[in-house]
Amino acid sequence: MTDIIFLAVPASAIIALAFAFFFFKQMMRESEGNDTMRQIAGYVRVGAMSYLKQQYKVVFIVFMVLALLFSLMAYFGVQNPWVPFAFLSGGFFSGLAGFFGMKTATYASARTAHAASKSLNQGLQIAFRSGAVMGLVVVGLALVDISAWYWVLDYFIDDNEPGHKLIIVTTTMLTFGMGASTQALFARVGGGIYTKAADVGADLVGKVEAGIPEDDPRNPATIADNVGDNVGDVAGMGADLYESYCGSILATAALGASAFALNPEMQLKAVFAPMLIAAAGVLLSILGILLVKTHENADMKQLMSALNRGVNLSSLLTALAVYGILYGIELHNWLGLSSAVVCGLIAGIIIGQGAEYYTSHSYRPTQKIAESSATGPATVIISGLGIGMISTALPVMTIGAAIMASFLCAIEFDVQHLLSAENLSLGLYGIGIAAVGMLSTLGITLATDAYGPIADNAGGNAEMSGLGQEVRKRTDALDALGNTTAATGKGFAIGSAALTALVLLASYIEEIRIGLLRLGQTTLTFTHGDSIATQQAGFIDFMNYYQVSLMNPKVLIGMFLGSMMAFVFCGLTMNAVGRAAQKMVEEVRRQFRDIKGILEGSAKPDYARCVEISTQSAQREMLLPSVLALLVPTLTGVVFGVAGVMGLLIGGLSTGFVLAIFMANAGGAWDNAKKYVEEGHLGGKGSDAHKACVVGDTVGDPFKDTSGPSLNILIKLMSMVAIVMAGLTSAWSLF
Amino acid sequence: MTDIIFLAVPASAIIALAFAFFFFKQMMRESEGNDTMRQIAGYVRVGAMSYLKQQYKVVFIVFMVLALLFSLMAYFGVQNPWVPFAFLSGGFFSGLAGFFGMKTATYASARTAHAASKSLNQGLQIAFRSGAVMGLVVVGLALVDISAWYWVLDYFIDDNEPGHKLIIVTTTMLTFGMGASTQALFARVGGGIYTKAADVGADLVGKVEAGIPEDDPRNPATIADNVGDNVGDVAGMGADLYESYCGSILATAALGASAFALNPEMQLKAVFAPMLIAAAGVLLSILGILLVKTHENADMKQLMSALNRGVNLSSLLTALAVYGILYGIELHNWLGLSSAVVCGLIAGIIIGQGAEYYTSHSYRPTQKIAESSATGPATVIISGLGIGMISTALPVMTIGAAIMASFLCAIEFDVQHLLSAENLSLGLYGIGIAAVGMLSTLGITLATDAYGPIADNAGGNAEMSGLGQEVRKRTDALDALGNTTAATGKGFAIGSAALTALVLLASYIEEIRIGLLRLGQTTLTFTHGDSIATQQAGFIDFMNYYQVSLMNPKVLIGMFLGSMMAFVFCGLTMNAVGRAAQKMVEEVRRQFRDIKGILEGSAKPDYARCVEISTQSAQREMLLPSVLALLVPTLTGVVFGVAGVMGLLIGGLSTGFVLAIFMANAGGAWDNAKKYVEEGHLGGKGSDAHKACVVGDTVGDPFKDTSGPSLNILIKLMSMVAIVMAGLTSAWSLF
């Protein structure tokens, strides 16, 4: 019976992959337009693939080193022997999803531009369904990987103690998230540096110095800029959410296995529940995707409502389906846990909408930033930073409310003992379920995200190949819509990363428990002399054993380090963009100087050299932040033990979450403040106000597309590193 | 015997006040120079006093409301009846210190300029000794207040249970810090908004639009700008450090009373120890101040070393004296606790020096920011933000090391039971002692801070009254030195605020314990059925009772809210400066337009109107952030109880500390990057590079002088609010 239920998971994964393939084929049947269009798309495609090839080379080396390290740890008994394989598979599938997504996106841009020359609806269809390929490949491959590992481990792991086997299976599976995290680190941080080095470099010389418009084919960095959209916004965003998706499902399964350890039948259901919720979400996302269409002569508002219809319908149906499924499998407290899913879904929507309010120039905050351009660039920066900081209030309170609500939904409500040991386990499982709920419709939400850069590239292609005014107007409409979905998508990515990191943090204790058991430490002895069997010990016992209390200096120091890591990581990526953009500026200036006739359009710029510079800079610049993100949690564990690590993770999470929202929203608002002026307000294009807003936009570029999103990775990766290093930490620490 | 020892505290306070009076009289004997100089100093004096008057009016109302509230709480038994009086006295003495400090500073500027016309050494003497008035008044009044309250409470509180009385006395005294905190909120936040509204407004119209130099008497906002230096940098900084000084001494005394509750004799010594350390520091600070002098023809380096000699000698002698004193009073583990003082002193010096490295243009970081001006203002902003973020690593690791080292110094070292209940109490007391040590030489460190704005104003006075080239060169040298001491002073203020907030957080549990006892709750019953007498319960029992563990959702939500508060508070103050500066810009433009002959120097601008605008804006704009800082900890307590409050405080502390360093260092670095270009590098004054750096400097103004320093207040104030609301929180909370 349970096996049949579980078949639903790989089945829905295969359906998702089939639809992805179908959408891809459908898109490939379209024409790529005239020769120029095809040529430009070709440049971007070659550039994107050459970047990916270079990145995979580096990633391959890193994965080999880490896999070797995990094997050694397994050999010395401080690591599960399955971990090296799980790690590699997580990385492989995440990389594969990125590859397919980017391949699709680079084939789709010219086709979108060509389709837009026929009608707006056709343009929307091509771009959105190509984005859907990314969305469906991500959720499909994630569920394939999860199902496969579950089967393998269920088959090979031998443990007759009731309730114990599932704990081992789920905690082992969780470590395949480390592969996804490492891949995401490279895709998001490397991609983020790449895209903004190209963008900032292209703007600084092209727009500001040479006075040629955006996406002008005379600008040597323009292809690199278009490649960057694919590298950062498609592959990077995809890898980021692949990691959140897997991480939340796997961590919640681990929390379920622990919460119901004494009731093996219910335990199995609790482990399956997050996967089944995900499976339902996948199928209903496909339905939503199919429903996104509009009239031939739709305006911006109708385009927006077409997208919203798809997303909202998927969310609503998923919520209903979850009540049915959890009731059907007779999960303990199915009503409460289904409601926790709804908490997650609603929180995701509120955070997305909040991001739109603070970053769209239809609303006051962004307009205020634009108005402050009257007194020059400095006041644009000041007001953007101020509004970005204030904008953190809504998402933080939303996440706080979602945590409290899903916790309360999941527990046995008894005011006297809200936080009993049992309730804490149940409640944390509930928070996990909320995270899974938030991410359950990822198939369609990621489709709307990936749609953005495709539409952007289509606009670039139309501009460079000199298509008519009418077509450009249509691609502009598609692009403007993409900017809005990008803002909501970023908010969603940050919110889900925060919840995922929190659930990973909770499951960290499970890994510590398993680590201790592997080392043969069967009892925990407390400072006051009591002792308890490791296997029976729950959350609260472990927290007491390691004295993970707020006044433990190790926890305090860990928290300070965590907060610091968020800032230092951001600072390093900001500087990386600055340096890489500088290199790009020099190269573009050199080409303008050395290649005669480039500005008159009689000579062709050397696009490939610019792509190469961005690629190399990105790979070199991401080294230091990556090493820090991997080393700091490990070293903190070695020096300050479990208490220090938990302080580090929670400090990094709370500061990193708020900092990420601040950066994403400030960056988005500056971008749209500039667009607001360009639309003719406050003096319009070329005015002093516009120049001031361009400064804001340039500062905002690394904010919203490099440093901000990189924090999503940091907060999850630090938790994942702590999880795979848990064996080492439980074996030995200095203090 | 102990009474005689304790007499040392008020005695040293009186000596400090006597020296302050002596230095003041000495300064007043000097000539204020010619008529113009006297007139300008008069404008600034009148402006500063009119601001202070306005602020004290608002403060008076707020104090009355809060005192009434505390009286009501005392009436209902959720507050100690002494609290309203303690609260008022803390506010009164802090206000008095600010008044004297600012009065002195405004009398000193013209006299410094005049003395500098004779020799550099004479200028330095006047400016530095006037700064010392502020330093000595702050420490003197603080120790007077502490001694007086100790005597009063010791006399009136009747409690025969051994060891219990001192706990009540110290926890009651601690609440007078709330008065200092509230006063500091107004001085630092209001002053910060005032000073930068005037500065940014003056620069935007004067320098950028009208093209007249800084401090030009034709600029109507120039007097407001000079007033601002006194309001923000003298009174604001003084109130901030007054709060840290009192807070660290009082909280450490409370931790000492709790740690040694079972040994009444040792308990008394542990309560006296922080006060005696402070008393020794005061006397040795005076010695250091007297030693600051230089040759008649000293250069910048010799000026710097004259100041450093004084500070370093004070620190060294204080360290030695502390070993002697703690040995002399036979304090438990005197060697370890004296070493904890040294940890604090060293950490303060490292943090100060680190701030200098990241913000002085003698070093690479600031030079790099200046160099990035080659590609315009956007890259100046990006690199400043990047370097500011990275600069957080050193101070965070220093504070972390100081916490760990002072904790380890203070405990019974036993690797197996590092964190036993007893060690936790001893260790937290040790961290408190380190905070007191860091602040012990405040008399002289605050003198070097307050010296900065006096020298700055002297420069302004010299410029406006058209003194000769030679004098301006001397005042410039004094001012440049002031910029360096301002950077180190800011680092020191943040570092000591963080340690103080941490110690306040630790003593919060004491307040909760007393609150429960006052309510008659004599036992704590845990979820697993055990119970323990409230009076015997230690830290760990309380943390367990309230489940202040990292996985409690209330703690998690509190932490997210705390991190958010740091950002929102900053955002509100950034926007406040933006809006207030906007008003100033409009007024200056209006005067340039309406008052004929102003730019030719034939008509006098309306300085008073600009002062009024800044004053009004500051008072209005500080309302919302202040209300938030007071309400959020209270509401968090009402909704989420002790666990939520502790999460809030620790989240606010770790994020706020890192954010404050980032803002202070980024702001300082932008300021000096501009100065670097003005000194002739990269094209010098008036070049495009210079214009780009001016944008950075303008953004940096609210960073380093408003939002950044305001965070010092926020992190301490939230702890203080939690402490005075502890009775309410222990009586009732929603979850």
Side-chain angles (χ1 to χ4, degrees):
Chain A
M1 167 63 188
T2 48
D3 276 1
I4 295 173
I5 291 177
F6 187 66
L7 272 181
V9 180
S12 67
I14 286 161
I15 296 174
L17 293 174
F19 267 94
F21 186 71
F22 166 70
F23 290 146
F24 178 73
K25 280 283 160 200
Q26 201 184 30
M27 179 270 290
M28 290 300 280
R29 272 201 303 274
E30 299 289 322
S31 157
E32 253 196 315
N34 63 34
D35 277 355
T36 326
M37 289 168 76
R38 232 171 313 166
Q39 200 185 17
I40 288 164
Y43 286 138
V44 174
R45 204 146 50 223
V46 170
M49 283 304 142
S50 88
Y51 171 78
L52 221 53
K53 216 168 123 189
Q54 178 64 28
Q55 177 173 304
Y56 287 162
K57 256 191 226 166
V58 180
V59 166
F60 182 77
I61 298 169
V62 172
F63 267 78
M64 285 304 116
V65 172
L66 288 177
L68 186 70
L69 183 73
F70 296 146
S71 309
L72 277 175
M73 284 171 65
Y75 179 79
F76 288 108
V78 292
Q79 188 59 281
N80 186 309
W82 288 100
V83 167
F85 306 101
F87 168 69
L88 289 176
S89 94
F92 176 76
F93 280 108
S94 169
L96 206 61
F99 177 81
F100 285 139
M102 212 157 106
K103 196 107 195 160
T104 310
T106 52
Y107 276 113
S109 59
R111 290 180 168 86
T112 302
H114 181 72
S117 70
K118 291 186 245 163
S119 88
L120 194 59
N121 183 40
Q122 288 193 34
L124 176 71
Q125 289 288 333
I126 302 281
F128 182 71
R129 294 209 167 174
S130 305
V133 174
M134 181 78 196
L136 294 176
V137 165
V138 161
V139 295
L141 289 180
L143 291 184
V144 164
D145 200 4
I146 290 173
S147 313
W149 272 104
Y150 180 78
W151 279 337
V152 169
L153 294 173
D154 188 49
Y155 184 79
F156 282 103
I157 289 179
D158 208 20
D159 193 321
N160 290 325
E161 204 170 326
H164 196 225
K165 179 173 171 174
L166 264 183
I167 291 181
I168 299 204
V169 168
T170 52
T171 49
T172 308
M173 281 172 76
L174 182 50
T175 57
F176 100 61
M178 177 70 196
S181 286
T182 311
Q183 186 70 257
L185 174 72
F186 282 84
R188 195 55 139 160
V189 180
I193 296 171
Y194 182 105
T195 178
K196 290 304 125 172
D199 191 359
V200 172
D203 285 1
L204 283 176
V205 191
K207 277 203 238 175
V208 181
E209 291 183 14
I212 55 180
E214 176 125 18
D215 286 330
D216 192 293
R218 289 170 292 173
N219 190 335
T222 215
I223 294 289
D225 187 7
N226 278 282
V227 170
D229 291 339
N230 293 295
V231 162
D233 298 349
V234 178
M237 173 74 100
D240 183 356
L241 283 161
Y242 183 92
E243 182 195 9
S244 290
Y245 193 71
C246 292
S248 63
I249 294 172
L250 295 171
T252 306
L255 289 173
S258 148
F260 298 95
L262 300 178
N263 177 353
E265 198 196 339
M266 198 51 77
Q267 191 191 30
L268 193 62
K269 291 178 186 173
V271 168
F272 279 0
M275 305 178 197
L276 291 173
I277 294 168
V282 166
L283 297 179
L284 295 163
S285 292
I286 297 173
L287 186 66
I289 290 167
L290 292 173
L291 289 175
V292 172
K293 55 182 66 168
T294 186
H295 324 287
E296 291 308 312
N297 293 312
D299 61 11
M300 175 75 188
K301 217 170 166 178
Q302 288 163 322
L303 279 179
M304 190 71 217
S305 75
L307 279 191
N308 279 342
R309 195 167 48 236
V311 174
N312 291 340
L313 198 80
S314 292
S315 303
L316 185 70
L317 292 178
T318 302
L320 292 176
V322 165
Y323 279 97
I325 291 168
L326 300 193
Y327 173 75
I329 65 168
E330 297 176 324
L331 184 65
H332 168 88
N333 185 16
W334 64 272
L335 192 61
L337 289 170
S338 305
S339 307
V341 170
V342 175
C343 294
L345 275 168
I346 292 176
I349 291 170
I350 293 178
I351 291 175
Q353 299 297 317
E356 197 196 329
Y357 171 74
Y358 278 107
T359 59
S360 157
H361 59 54
S362 308
Y363 302 99
R364 280 304 292 157
T366 300
Q367 290 171 5
K368 271 189 200 162
I369 295 174
E371 285 159 15
S372 67
S373 63
T375 35
T379 39
V380 170
I381 301 289
I382 291 177
S383 65
L385 293 171
I387 285 172
M389 284 173 165
I390 292 171
S391 77
T392 60
L394 178 73
V396 170
M397 288 193 290
T398 306
I399 285 285
I403 290 173
M404 200 70 208
S406 56
F407 186 90
L408 290 176
C409 281
I411 63 174
E412 309 288 335
F413 202 86
D414 170 358
V415 170
Q416 289 305 304
H417 302 97
L418 272 188
L419 290 172
S420 65
E422 200 198 345
N423 270 350
L424 199 57
S425 297
L426 288 175
L428 290 172
Y429 179 64
I431 296 174
I433 286 284
V436 173
M438 189 187 256
L439 285 156
S440 59
T441 52
L442 186 63
I444 186 162
T445 47
L446 188 51
T448 58
D449 289 349
Y451 154 86
I454 294 171
D456 190 356
N457 260 306
N461 193 302
E463 174 81 31
M464 283 189 270
S465 38
L467 294 188
Q469 199 67 27
E470 183 61 24
V471 184
R472 297 247 285 278
K473 231 177 107 181
R474 284 193 200 134
T475 56
D476 277 357
L478 292 174
D479 188 15
L481 179 63
N483 281 331
T484 306
T485 62
T488 53
K490 256 164 220 152
F492 178 79
I494 298 169
S496 58
L499 265 193
T500 302
L502 190 58
V503 183
L504 287 173
L505 174 62
S507 56
Y508 171 64
I509 285 288
E510 281 308 301
E511 297 289 337
I512 288 289
R513 181 220 299 269
I514 299 297
L516 289 178
L517 286 173
R518 191 173 308 111
L519 292 165
Q521 186 175 335
T522 51
T523 54
L524 305 181
T525 308
F526 296 86
T527 37
H528 47 81
D530 297 356
S531 80
I532 192 172
T534 307
Q535 201 167 320
Q536 265 91 57
F539 270 110
I540 294 182
D541 300 307
F542 271 95
M543 302 297 264
N544 285 342
Y545 179 69
Y546 287 108
Q547 300 206 300
V548 191
S549 102
L550 280 187
M551 290 323 302
N552 180 341
K554 297 190 262 183
V555 174
L556 291 170
I557 294 171
M559 289 190 53
F560 279 121
L561 287 178
S563 296
M564 178 202 89
M565 272 299 286
F567 276 87
V568 168
F569 198 75
C570 266
L572 290 173
T573 49
M574 292 282 286
N575 279 352
V577 170
R579 271 192 299 267
Q582 196 64 42
K583 288 222 177 72
M584 187 63 83
V585 164
E586 282 157 21
E587 171 62 20
V588 174
R589 282 189 188 149
R590 187 196 65 78
Q591 292 200 20
F592 280 160
R593 199 175 53 233
D594 293 357
I595 307 176
K596 301 286 168 218
I598 199 170
L599 275 172
E600 295 74 40
S602 58
K604 224 187 65 179
D606 184 356
Y607 299 130
R609 180 79 195 111
C610 289
V611 169
E612 204 182 312
I613 284 176
S614 253
T615 305
Q616 284 171 355
S617 302
Q619 299 301 329
R620 196 176 33 244
E621 293 287 354
M622 66 167 300
L623 192 70
L624 182 58
S626 305
V627 169
L628 271 186
L630 294 168
L631 267 191
V632 169
T634 312
L635 287 181
T636 305
V638 168
V639 177
F640 296 113
V642 172
V645 170
M646 293 203 75
L648 175 78
L649 299 183
I650 197 85
L653 171 57
S654 73
T655 302
F657 175 47
V658 183
L659 186 57
I661 301 164
F662 155 60
M663 297 193 94
N665 286 352
W670 277 319
D671 188 352
N672 283 324
K674 185 196 70 177
K675 291 224 166 72
Y676 182 70
V677 174
E678 283 174 354
E679 282 177 8
H681 301 91
L682 306 166
K685 237 173 174 165
S687 64
D688 279 348
H690 185 238
K691 277 182 199 136
C693 285
V694 166
V695 172
D697 180 40
T698 310
V699 174
D701 272 338
F703 261 58
K704 71 184 198 310
D705 291 323
T706 311
S707 303
S710 296
L711 286 170
N712 302 354
I713 307 299
L714 180 75
I715 59 183
K716 289 178 290 181
L717 180 65
M718 289 209 303
S719 299
M720 277 314 313
V721 173
I723 282 173
V724 296
M725 290 297 170
L728 186 64
T729 310
S730 47
W732 188 78
S733 73
L734 185 60
F735 288 116
Chain B
M1 167 65 189
T2 48
D3 277 1
I4 295 173
I5 290 177
F6 186 66
L7 272 181
V9 179
S12 67
I14 286 161
I15 294 174
L17 293 175
F19 266 94
F21 185 70
F22 167 69
F23 291 146
F24 177 74
K25 279 286 161 197
Q26 201 184 31
M27 178 270 290
M28 289 300 282
R29 271 200 303 275
E30 299 289 321
S31 157
E32 253 196 316
N34 63 34
D35 280 354
T36 325
M37 290 168 77
R38 233 172 313 167
Q39 199 185 18
I40 288 164
Y43 286 140
V44 174
R45 205 146 50 223
V46 170
M49 283 303 142
S50 89
Y51 171 79
L52 219 53
K53 216 168 124 189
Q54 177 63 28
Q55 177 174 303
Y56 286 161
K57 257 190 223 162
V58 180
V59 166
F60 182 77
I61 298 169
V62 172
F63 268 77
M64 286 303 117
V65 172
L66 288 178
L68 187 71
L69 182 75
F70 296 144
S71 307
L72 278 175
M73 285 171 65
Y75 181 78
F76 288 109
V78 292
Q79 188 60 280
N80 185 309
W82 288 100
V83 167
F85 306 101
F87 168 69
L88 289 176
S89 93
F92 176 76
F93 280 106
S94 169
L96 206 60
F99 177 81
F100 286 139
M102 213 156 106
K103 195 106 195 161
T104 310
T106 53
Y107 276 113
S109 59
R111 290 179 169 85
T112 301
H114 181 71
S117 70
K118 291 185 245 163
S119 88
L120 193 61
N121 183 40
Q122 289 193 32
L124 175 71
Q125 288 289 333
I126 302 282
F128 181 70
R129 293 208 168 173
S130 305
V133 174
M134 181 77 195
L136 293 176
V137 164
V138 161
V139 295
L141 289 180
L143 291 184
V144 163
D145 201 5
I146 290 173
S147 313
W149 272 106
Y150 179 78
W151 278 337
V152 169
L153 295 173
D154 188 49
Y155 185 80
F156 283 104
I157 289 179
D158 208 20
D159 193 322
N160 290 324
E161 204 170 327
H164 195 225
K165 179 172 169 174
L166 263 182
I167 290 181
I168 300 206
V169 168
T170 52
T171 49
T172 309
M173 281 172 76
L174 183 49
T175 57
F176 99 62
M178 177 70 195
S181 286
T182 312
Q183 186 70 257
L185 174 72
F186 283 84
R188 195 55 139 161
V189 180
I193 296 171
Y194 182 104
T195 178
K196 291 303 125 173
D199 191 359
V200 172
D203 284 0
L204 283 176
V205 192
K207 278 204 239 176
V208 181
E209 291 183 15
I212 54 181
E214 176 126 17
D215 286 330
D216 192 294
R218 289 169 291 172
N219 191 333
T222 214
I223 293 289
D225 186 5
N226 277 283
V227 170
D229 292 338
N230 292 296
V231 161
D233 298 348
V234 178
M237 171 75 99
D240 183 356
L241 284 161
Y242 183 92
E243 182 195 8
S244 290
Y245 193 71
C246 292
S248 64
I249 294 172
L250 295 171
T252 306
L255 290 173
S258 148
F260 297 95
L262 301 178
N263 177 351
E265 198 196 340
M266 198 52 78
Q267 192 190 29
L268 192 63
K269 290 177 186 174
V271 168
F272 279 1
M275 304 177 198
L276 291 174
I277 294 169
V282 167
L283 297 180
L284 294 164
S285 292
I286 296 173
L287 185 67
I289 290 167
L290 292 173
L291 288 175
V292 171
K293 54 182 66 170
T294 185
H295 324 287
E296 291 308 312
N297 294 311
D299 60 11
M300 176 75 189
K301 218 170 165 179
Q302 287 163 323
L303 279 179
M304 190 71 218
S305 76
L307 280 191
N308 279 341
R309 197 170 43 237
V311 174
N312 292 340
L313 198 78
S314 294
S315 304
L316 184 68
L317 293 179
T318 303
L320 292 177
V322 165
Y323 279 97
I325 292 168
L326 300 192
Y327 172 75
I329 64 168
E330 297 176 322
L331 184 65
H332 169 89
N333 186 17
W334 65 272
L335 191 62
L337 289 170
S338 305
S339 307
V341 169
V342 175
C343 294
L345 276 168
I346 293 176
I349 291 170
I350 294 178
I351 292 175
Q353 299 298 317
E356 197 196 329
Y357 172 74
Y358 278 107
T359 58
S360 157
H361 59 54
S362 308
Y363 301 100
R364 281 302 295 155
T366 300
Q367 292 172 3
K368 270 189 201 162
I369 296 175
E371 285 159 14
S372 68
S373 63
T375 36
T379 39
V380 170
I381 302 289
I382 291 177
S383 65
L385 293 171
I387 285 172
M389 285 173 163
I390 293 171
S391 77
T392 60
L394 178 72
V396 170
M397 288 193 292
T398 305
I399 284 285
I403 290 173
M404 201 68 208
S406 56
F407 186 91
L408 291 176
C409 281
I411 63 174
E412 310 287 335
F413 203 84
D414 169 359
V415 170
Q416 290 302 305
H417 302 98
L418 272 188
L419 290 172
S420 64
E422 200 199 343
N423 270 351
L424 199 56
S425 297
L426 287 176
L428 290 172
Y429 178 65
I431 296 174
I433 286 285
V436 172
M438 188 187 255
L439 285 156
S440 59
T441 52
L442 186 63
I444 186 164
T445 46
L446 188 50
T448 59
D449 289 350
Y451 154 86
I454 293 171
D456 190 353
N457 261 304
N461 193 302
E463 173 81 32
M464 283 189 271
S465 36
L467 295 187
Q469 199 68 27
E470 183 60 23
V471 183
R472 297 248 285 277
K473 231 177 107 182
R474 286 194 198 131
T475 57
D476 277 356
L478 292 174
D479 188 16
L481 179 64
N483 282 331
T484 306
T485 62
T488 53
K490 257 165 216 151
F492 178 80
I494 300 169
S496 58
L499 265 193
T500 302
L502 189 58
V503 183
L504 287 173
L505 173 62
S507 56
Y508 172 64
I509 286 289
E510 281 307 301
E511 297 289 337
I512 288 289
R513 180 220 299 268
I514 299 296
L516 289 178
L517 286 173
R518 190 173 305 112
L519 292 165
Q521 188 175 334
T522 51
T523 56
L524 305 180
T525 309
F526 296 85
T527 37
H528 47 80
D530 297 356
S531 81
I532 191 171
T534 307
Q535 201 167 321
Q536 265 91 57
F539 269 110
I540 294 182
D541 300 308
F542 271 95
M543 302 297 264
N544 286 341
Y545 178 69
Y546 287 108
Q547 300 207 301
V548 191
S549 101
L550 281 187
M551 291 322 301
N552 180 341
K554 297 191 263 184
V555 174
L556 292 170
I557 294 171
M559 289 191 52
F560 279 121
L561 287 177
S563 296
M564 178 203 89
M565 271 299 286
F567 276 87
V568 168
F569 198 76
C570 267
L572 290 173
T573 48
M574 292 282 286
N575 280 351
V577 170
R579 272 192 299 266
Q582 196 64 43
K583 289 221 176 73
M584 187 61 84
V585 165
E586 282 157 21
E587 171 61 20
V588 174
R589 281 189 188 147
R590 187 196 65 78
Q591 291 199 21
F592 280 159
R593 199 176 53 233
D594 294 356
I595 306 178
K596 301 289 169 216
I598 201 170
L599 275 173
E600 296 74 38
S602 58
K604 225 186 63 178
D606 184 356
Y607 300 130
R609 180 81 194 110
C610 289
V611 169
E612 205 182 313
I613 284 177
S614 253
T615 304
Q616 284 170 356
S617 301
Q619 299 300 329
R620 195 174 35 244
E621 293 288 354
M622 66 168 301
L623 193 71
L624 182 59
S626 304
V627 168
L628 271 186
L630 293 169
L631 267 190
V632 169
T634 312
L635 288 181
T636 305
V638 169
V639 177
F640 296 113
V642 173
V645 170
M646 292 203 75
L648 175 78
L649 299 183
I650 197 86
L653 171 58
S654 75
T655 302
F657 175 47
V658 184
L659 186 57
I661 300 165
F662 155 60
M663 298 192 94
N665 286 352
W670 277 318
D671 188 353
N672 283 324
K674 185 195 70 176
K675 292 226 165 73
Y676 182 71
V677 174
E678 284 175 353
E679 283 177 6
H681 301 93
L682 306 165
K685 236 173 174 165
S687 63
D688 279 348
H690 185 238
K691 276 180 201 139
C693 285
V694 167
V695 173
D697 180 40
T698 311
V699 174
D701 271 338
F703 261 58
K704 69 183 198 313
D705 291 322
T706 312
S707 303
S710 297
L711 286 170
N712 301 354
I713 306 299
L714 180 76
I715 59 182
K716 288 178 291 182
L717 180 65
M718 290 208 303
S719 299
M720 275 316 311
V721 173
I723 282 172
V724 296
M725 290 298 170
L728 186 66
T729 310
S730 48
W732 187 78
S733 74
L734 185 60
F735 289 116

